[in-house]
Amino acid sequence: MRRKIFKHRLIVFVLAFMLPLSAFAQERTINGNITDAQTGETLIGVTVVIEGTTTGTTSDVEGNFSINAFGGQTLVFSYIGYNTESVVIDNQTIINLALTVSTESLDEVIVIGYGTTTKDDATGSVAVVNSDDFNIGAISSPQELVNGKISGVRIVNAGGAPGAKSTIRIRGGSSMSASNDPLIVIDGVPVDNDELSGMRNSLNTVNPDDIETFTVLKDASATAIYGSRASNGVILITTKKGKAGSPLSVSYNGNLSAGIRTSGVESLSADEFRTLIQERYEGQDNVLDLLGDASTDWQNEIYRTAIGHDHNLSVSGAAGELPYRASVGYTGQEGILKTSELQRVTGSINLNPSLLDDHLKVNVSLKGMNIHNRFGEEGSRPSAFEFDPTKPVTDDDPIFDRYGGYWTWINMADTTRNTLATTNPVAQLEQREDISTVNRVIGNVQLDYKFHFLPDLRLNVNLGMDYSKSEGEVNVSEQAAFMEDLSRGNGEARYYDQQKKNELIDVYLNYTKDLGDHSIGAMAGYSWQHFYRNNSDSALNAAGTVVIDPWNSFPTESYLVSFFGRLNYAFKDKYLLTFTLRNDHTSRFSPETRSGLFPSAAFAWDITDEEFMSNVGVVSNLKLRLGYGVTGQQAITDEDYPYLPKYTLSLNNAAYQFGTDYMLTYRPEGYDANIKWEETETYNIGLDYGFARNRILGSLEFYYRQTNDLINTIPVPAGSNLTNELLTNVGNLINQGVEFDITGKVISSSDLLWELGFNASYNRNEITKLTATDDPDYPGVYVGGIAGGVGNNVQIHTVGYPVHSFYVYEQVYNEEGMPIEGLYVDRNGDGQITIDDRRQYHDKDPAVYMGFSSNLMYKNFDFRFAGRINLGNYIYNNVDSRRALYSNLYVPSNYMTNVPTFIYNSGFTNPQYWSDYYVRDASFLRLDNISVGYTFNDLIGDSGNLRVYGSVQNVFVVTNYDGVDPEIENGIDNDLYPRPTTFMLGVSLDL
């Protein structure tokens, strides 16, 4: 009986349990409405997805949605600019939800000088580009990752050589003759801006694949904490690190690339050359007999398809309480110029544990690099477009055996090389070996201790070092005609090396405290930095029997000692004040002038938090920033002690006879014992904005910068010094401009995301003072040296004009629009053409430069492109001014040279170096890179991703400029290493 009762009760219990489960598991229709939690407005296009599935929908124009789901499932609501919410379905059929605005973008932690802040709390002009937004392609130099990504920052590489150096200018630079390079800080270590011997670019030390963020400090409020080195802005490079609690992760990135030459100097073909020679020298057999039977495209002979490959392997995670990341990378990159190449091995390790119950945070960073370079002979490029195209590369005639069989212009009288004639460009490449090996280590240990007895107070210690050693050899064959010297023996064996040390100690205290509506933060510290370098070199002839240059070693060093502080104050998190002060002492100046004081102040007002903005739903972020500050510049010359007198060898090795011996004499050089810092004052006003719940973000900035005590070489009265020119502080320079940034998420859904970015910058500079007293007859400082003639310059620094303005004659043209050779406008009306008739004519730098990018992702596909626009930049075409001349076809010393096809446009017979005819508009639109990829997810279970992609770099250039490339930093086109178009296939694997 009891068994029956128990059995019946069990059945009833099971049925009672199953009935609600059955109801719970039934599919039903869920309806709802989604609104903004702050404004109550309905939200259109909110993505609603059943977690763990691809089933989803979006809210309509009234914020309503409808979806079929089972009880127990979870709905995930996501919308750009809002926090993602998850709701578990119970028995309800109606779910109304109010989403809150996300502040993730504003809460993003950004690195600043000696610390961090959030984007919302920043008062200065700071731009951040993280690894998700880097340029994609065959990138071997870090600066290429952010080219075109940041307003006010212009990056121009020196050409297409593998790992080529880039010139970086932030807001136009602040100096006329001193360095305009920004200070670069790598994981807290300010590195020396001087280039390493044997390297094209010292930034190649850092593997681009290891970089997490680029942070650019642009205005004085942000940079003044670095004082004497910050006049040209600061770039903070932060590398990737492990994260606490994260599992082991392994990543591999690799690619294979091929670069092809898509531009070059358009010289006459062999047939065109023969025809022109025969037309112009008809009946002159001594000239016509020099023509050969070959048809050689010399530029094709020296260029090639450049193959490259890059591999990077990293592991990261946390071993207990020790987060770590380690990586190793290899880059092998040929240059399109034969014999030029780069091979690089990099390694890095980052350890960042937290100890003593998170009171002590430790960051240990170590980066090492070994690089092998081979440099192709730079002179082979002009030789290639100048060499007679009717001559062969090699010749079996025994007369050329002494030159390794390479065809060479020779003097028939004694069969020696014609030393005035153009050199065989292939011989220049193959008979010269220029190689180098560079090793560099950058590392530091950072300690951040939060005091146990006062948690608001932190002690920070940063011990850093940057050591490098480089050595190189240049070996020229004894058979090289271009280094034939019977007096000392042919060829050359040159050796050089360099050792550099950069040592750093930073110690500072940070105190932060919240007191109701008030927040304060104070920082005070001390910095010591030591720079040492030793350059050595020597040279023998190829046989090693004659010393060309005796062994020479020149060690030098300098120190920088600094005290600095910063005070931050915030009221209700919407009124923000920042004050900084740095006092630098440098050994580069005399004790009387070596101290520099660099203050700054900034104010920010978060307008969005004001009550009157509460009902302005379209505006999600609005912050006004004002800033002022002073920064300095100590890298005014290449010397460590420019304030001290020095003696140098007299010109032409002048010697004085003592008996039968001759002693070399030395002469004193002029110097200014009171030389000091250049100082730059900067005023900045900026407005950060966000619309449509931060789907659209950006900023608008205006700045004004004035550099005082500008370094300039000025004339001095005879007898008043040891020289007739003196380098001293005397000039003033103004930079002013506008910057605009905007990024927007055009489309955002569960399957499709489209982001667009655009930035534009306007910058103009003007020299306002160059001499100690006003001198209306002082023309300025001649700069801009060109090839052709001796000591010729086509640019000038003049009061009232931009730096490096072109200084040329105004060309006169005939009725057909052809320039009339040697005829210029008499601008001063004195009846003759003299140097006084030259005029300042255009500027080498663009007035406006822009960057644009697009990132489109559809499901697992991604498509990206990025490019740049320059407007108002001009280039002096020195290739045409030196080579496009009929007089170059035949040279009376009995040889011929090729000329550019531009000769038909000018018709010039002789050089017209200072004609404005050669100053040409070089505005351009360049598509830097384009890529498409596909990602395979969940390779191993529910983890592991593989992305396969292809990209093209330097896709195309749209320009009216008729030279090799419209982008040349110094504004003078004189044989640029062509930038290749590079095609790449790559894979990224994350496990």
Side-chain angles (χ1 to χ4, degrees):
M1 186 67 178
R2 288 184 176 179
R3 289 182 178 178
K4 289 183 179 180
I5 294 173
F6 177 77
K7 184 176 180 180
H8 291 160
R9 289 178 177 175
L10 180 60
I11 292 172
V12 171
F13 176 80
V14 171
L15 289 174
F17 181 76
M18 291 298 293
L19 284 174
L21 278 182
S22 175
F24 192 71
Q26 288 179 352
E27 187 178 35
R28 72 195 73 172
T29 300
I30 309 296
N31 297 306
N33 183 264
I34 308 173
T35 59
D36 183 302
Q38 181 179 4
T39 66
E41 295 178 355
T42 56
L43 298 180
I44 305 170
V46 176
T47 301
V48 185
V49 177
I50 300 175
E51 188 176 53
T53 74
T54 57
T55 302
T57 185
T58 58
S59 60
D60 60 21
V61 293
E62 296 179 351
N64 298 319
F65 75 93
S66 180
I67 188 170
N68 293 327
F70 290 95
Q73 290 184 315
T74 300
L75 295 183
V76 179
F77 299 81
S78 60
Y79 193 53
I80 291 177
Y82 287 80
N83 293 311
T84 299
E85 299 284 350
S86 299
V87 177
V88 178
I89 301 172
D90 293 322
N91 295 319
Q92 71 266 47
T93 57
I94 297 177
I95 298 177
N96 296 322
L97 189 65
L99 296 182
T100 57
V101 175
S102 171
T103 59
E104 180 181 355
S105 61
L106 301 180
D107 291 337
E108 176 188 0
V109 175
I110 57 178
V111 179
I112 58 174
Y114 303 100
T116 60
T117 188
T118 64
K119 188 175 182 180
D120 195 33
D121 291 336
T123 57
S125 182
V126 181
V128 182
V129 180
N130 61 42
S131 55
D132 292 335
D133 298 318
F134 287 163
N135 291 324
I136 295 176
I139 291 174
S140 58
S141 299
Q143 66 275 4
E144 297 175 38
L145 296 171
V146 295
N147 198 4
K149 295 286 187 179
I150 307 170
S151 66
V153 179
R154 193 165 60 90
I155 302 173
V156 182
N157 66 12
K165 178 184 177 181
S166 290
T167 299
I168 305 175
R169 293 292 177 263
I170 299 176
R171 294 185 168 179
S174 63
S175 186
M176 189 178 70
S177 57
S179 173
N180 278 301
D181 296 331
L183 173 67
I184 296 175
V185 181
I186 302 175
D187 282 339
V189 179
V191 297
D192 193 345
N193 280 340
D194 293 341
E195 290 301 311
L196 299 176
S197 296
M199 281 191 69
R200 298 180 178 92
N201 181 3
S202 62
L203 265 184
N204 289 345
T205 301
V206 183
N207 189 330
D209 194 63
D210 288 332
I211 296 177
E212 180 69 27
T213 61
F214 265 83
T215 302
V216 179
L217 313 181
K218 295 190 283 188
D219 72 336
S221 171
T223 63
I225 196 67
Y226 286 105
S228 66
R229 296 165 295 173
S231 284
N232 302 304
V234 180
I235 296 177
L236 308 177
I237 297 177
T238 304
T239 58
K240 298 173 183 176
K241 297 176 175 61
K243 297 180 180 179
S246 60
L248 173 66
S249 175
V250 179
S251 297
Y252 167 77
N253 293 314
N255 62 67
L256 177 66
S257 64
I260 60 173
R261 179 175 68 95
T262 54
S263 62
V265 176
E266 295 185 12
S267 296
L268 300 179
S269 68
D271 290 340
E272 291 171 331
F273 184 77
R274 288 190 185 93
T275 299
L276 188 58
I277 291 292
Q278 290 166 354
E279 289 176 353
R280 295 189 66 87
Y281 296 96
E282 183 180 1
Q284 300 183 41
D285 292 342
N286 63 317
V287 177
L288 300 179
D289 289 346
L290 294 176
L291 287 171
D293 299 325
S295 293
T296 305
D297 186 328
W298 288 100
Q299 293 188 73
N300 281 346
E301 294 294 334
I302 68 168
Y303 291 113
R304 64 183 174 188
T305 297
I307 303 300
H309 55 111
D310 188 82
H311 311 274
N312 298 281
L313 180 67
S314 67
V315 293
S316 62
E321 298 298 322
L322 178 62
Y324 64 86
R325 184 183 187 274
S327 70
V328 62
Y330 173 80
T331 301
Q333 180 64 62
E334 293 179 341
I336 58 171
L337 180 66
K338 291 179 179 178
T339 74
S340 63
E341 64 178 8
L342 172 151
Q343 296 183 51
R344 179 182 64 190
V345 177
T346 61
S348 72
I349 184 168
N350 282 321
L351 307 174
N352 47 307
S354 294
L355 309 173
L356 304 178
D357 296 328
D358 287 339
H359 278 262
L360 177 61
K361 295 183 179 180
V362 180
N363 281 301
V364 179
S365 176
L366 186 67
K367 289 169 280 292
M369 177 214 63
N370 171 266
I371 190 167
H372 294 276
N373 282 308
R374 180 166 182 184
F375 305 93
E377 168 56 40
E378 299 291 323
S380 65
R381 297 198 304 273
S383 294
F385 58 75
E386 294 174 16
F387 209 84
D388 181 350
T390 68
K391 301 299 186 295
V393 176
T394 59
D395 197 305
D396 294 333
D397 191 322
I399 199 172
F400 299 113
D401 288 349
R402 65 187 295 176
Y403 302 122
Y406 292 100
W407 199 97
T408 304
W409 288 104
I410 61 174
N411 298 309
M412 298 307 297
D414 55 7
T415 68
T416 60
R417 179 178 74 96
N418 184 336
T419 57
L420 299 177
T422 311
T423 298
N424 186 317
V426 178
Q428 285 180 283
L429 290 173
E430 297 183 352
Q431 292 184 315
R432 185 179 189 269
E433 183 185 52
D434 185 350
I435 57 176
S436 72
T437 300
V438 181
N439 294 288
R440 189 177 189 183
V441 176
I442 300 176
N444 66 318
V445 177
Q446 294 175 298
L447 306 175
D448 182 356
Y449 174 62
K450 180 171 61 176
F451 287 88
H452 283 74
F453 63 88
L454 186 59
D456 297 325
L457 182 64
R458 309 177 80 101
L459 172 66
N460 292 267
V461 178
N462 182 21
L463 308 176
M465 58 87 177
D466 175 7
Y467 292 165
S468 65
K469 179 174 176 57
S470 55
E471 55 187 12
E473 297 180 25
V474 180
N475 295 300
V476 181
S477 168
E478 283 188 285
Q479 293 184 319
F482 54 89
M483 198 164 281
E484 182 180 48
D485 190 334
L486 303 180
S487 65
R488 62 166 178 79
N490 297 341
E492 183 178 83
R494 181 173 295 275
Y495 173 82
Y496 63 89
D497 66 24
Q498 182 191 66
Q499 296 181 51
K500 295 184 71 174
K501 296 180 182 179
N502 171 14
E503 298 161 324
L504 171 74
I505 300 175
D506 286 336
V507 181
Y508 54 98
L509 289 168
N510 260 319
Y511 178 79
T512 58
K513 187 68 174 179
D514 292 331
L515 301 170
D517 291 335
H518 308 272
S519 298
I520 59 171
M523 185 266 289
Y526 165 85
S527 180
W528 175 92
Q529 198 162 9
H530 171 227
F531 303 94
Y532 170 87
R533 69 179 182 272
N534 187 2
N535 296 312
S536 305
D537 64 85
S538 65
L540 306 172
N541 64 358
T545 57
V546 177
V547 175
I548 300 174
D549 292 318
W551 181 259
N552 176 55
S553 180
F554 183 70
T556 183
E557 63 181 349
S558 62
Y559 292 84
L560 185 67
V561 176
S562 309
F563 300 90
F564 54 87
R566 178 168 54 218
L567 178 64
N568 293 319
Y569 170 75
F571 178 65
K572 292 186 176 181
D573 290 330
K574 59 183 177 180
Y575 307 110
L576 311 171
L577 288 170
T578 301
F579 299 94
T580 65
L581 183 66
R582 183 171 179 119
N583 183 209
D584 279 333
H585 303 261
T586 176
S587 62
R588 296 172 69 97
F589 302 140
S590 70
E592 291 76 21
T593 61
R594 66 180 40 157
S595 176
L597 198 63
F598 306 103
S600 77
F603 168 75
W605 175 26
D606 193 342
I607 305 173
T608 319
D609 286 345
E610 295 292 350
E611 186 175 344
F612 61 80
M613 292 292 294
S614 59
N615 295 321
V616 186
V618 69
V619 179
S620 47
N621 177 46
L622 195 63
K623 184 168 72 173
L624 176 69
R625 293 179 285 103
L626 304 173
Y628 166 81
V630 179
T631 51
Q633 169 67 286
Q634 62 162 332
I636 57 176
T637 71
D638 295 332
E639 302 174 20
D640 276 328
Y641 299 97
Y643 73 95
L644 293 177
K646 68 176 183 179
Y647 288 79
T648 57
L649 278 173
S650 298
L651 296 175
N652 301 320
N653 293 326
Y656 190 84
Q657 183 176 2
F658 288 91
T660 59
D661 296 326
Y662 288 85
M663 307 298 293
L664 293 175
T665 61
Y666 287 77
R667 57 185 176 85
E669 290 197 356
Y671 68 98
D672 180 2
N674 296 315
I675 199 167
K676 60 180 181 179
W677 319 88
E678 291 184 346
E679 293 189 351
T680 300
E681 290 183 281
T682 300
Y683 301 84
N684 192 89
I685 178 171
L687 184 69
D688 299 328
Y689 62 84
F691 299 107
R693 303 164 188 91
N694 288 338
R695 287 189 67 162
I696 300 174
L697 289 169
S699 65
L700 177 65
E701 307 235 6
F702 300 85
Y703 63 86
Y704 177 91
R705 308 168 67 203
Q706 177 169 317
T707 302
N708 302 311
D709 296 322
L710 197 70
I711 293 294
N712 183 30
T713 301
I714 62 172
V716 295
S720 61
N721 207 299
L722 303 173
T723 181
N724 58 356
E725 291 184 335
L726 186 66
L727 186 71
T728 187
N729 300 90
V730 73
N732 293 339
L733 172 68
I734 291 174
N735 265 283
Q736 52 191 326
V738 183
E739 298 168 357
F740 173 73
D741 291 89
I742 186 169
T743 59
K745 293 180 173 65
V746 180
I747 301 174
S748 179
S749 66
S750 57
D751 290 333
L752 180 63
L753 173 66
W754 185 20
E755 297 178 318
L756 292 176
F758 175 78
N759 65 80
S761 307
Y762 168 84
N763 176 268
R764 298 307 290 168
N765 67 78
E766 179 184 340
I767 300 169
T768 57
K769 183 181 178 183
L770 277 180
T771 54
T773 58
D774 291 335
D775 182 359
D777 296 326
Y778 179 55
V781 182
Y782 295 100
V783 291
I786 61 172
V790 178
N792 290 334
N793 298 287
V794 294
Q795 293 172 334
I796 195 170
H797 298 326
T798 307
V799 171
Y801 294 92
V803 296
H804 291 101
S805 295
F806 293 105
Y807 194 51
V808 287
Y809 295 118
E810 184 177 357
Q811 180 68 54
V812 176
Y813 297 83
N814 62 20
E815 294 180 354
E816 288 76 29
M818 291 285 288
I820 302 174
E821 183 168 345
L823 186 58
Y824 306 107
V825 174
D826 180 11
R827 297 184 63 84
N828 63 4
D830 64 356
Q832 55 184 340
I833 300 300
T834 67
I835 194 173
D836 294 330
D837 291 305
R838 293 193 205 175
R839 59 169 175 163
Q840 288 79 10
Y841 183 65
H842 294 306
D843 184 6
K844 72 178 183 66
D845 295 322
V848 177
Y849 46 100
M850 295 172 274
F852 58 90
S853 62
S854 172
N855 183 10
L856 179 67
M857 291 182 286
Y858 175 70
K859 293 186 177 180
N860 289 28
F861 288 95
D862 61 86
F863 174 73
R864 303 181 183 184
F865 65 81
R868 291 171 295 118
I869 299 172
N870 276 18
L871 300 175
N873 55 304
Y874 282 76
I875 287 179
Y876 175 87
N877 193 325
N878 196 193
V879 173
D880 286 345
S881 70
R882 184 175 65 91
R883 296 303 312 160
L885 307 168
Y886 285 112
S887 60
N888 285 329
L889 289 170
Y890 168 70
V891 182
S893 54
N894 212 37
Y895 68 94
M896 294 190 296
T897 64
N898 202 352
V899 295
T901 57
F902 188 79
I903 195 171
Y904 298 124
N905 297 345
S906 66
F908 289 161
T909 298
N910 297 305
Q912 308 297 314
Y913 293 125
W914 294 282
S915 171
D916 65 8
Y917 178 64
Y918 295 111
V919 179
R920 297 168 188 167
D921 184 1
S923 301
F924 66 85
L925 181 153
R926 184 189 296 273
L927 187 62
D928 284 316
N929 55 75
I930 185 171
S931 70
V932 60
Y934 184 85
T935 300
F936 299 89
N937 296 321
D938 304 332
L939 296 177
I940 303 175
D942 58 353
S943 65
N945 299 317
L946 173 66
R947 179 174 180 264
V948 180
Y949 62 95
S951 74
V952 183
Q953 202 165 332
N954 191 27
V955 186
F956 62 77
V957 181
V958 179
T959 182
N960 288 326
Y961 181 64
D962 52 7
V964 174
D965 197 289
E967 193 170 13
I968 299 174
E969 169 54 28
N970 67 359
I972 298 175
D973 183 358
N974 182 14
D975 176 36
L976 179 76
Y977 192 127
R979 297 181 176 97
T981 295
T982 303
F983 299 86
M984 187 185 76
L985 293 175
V987 296
S988 296
L989 176 64
D990 295 309
L991 298 174

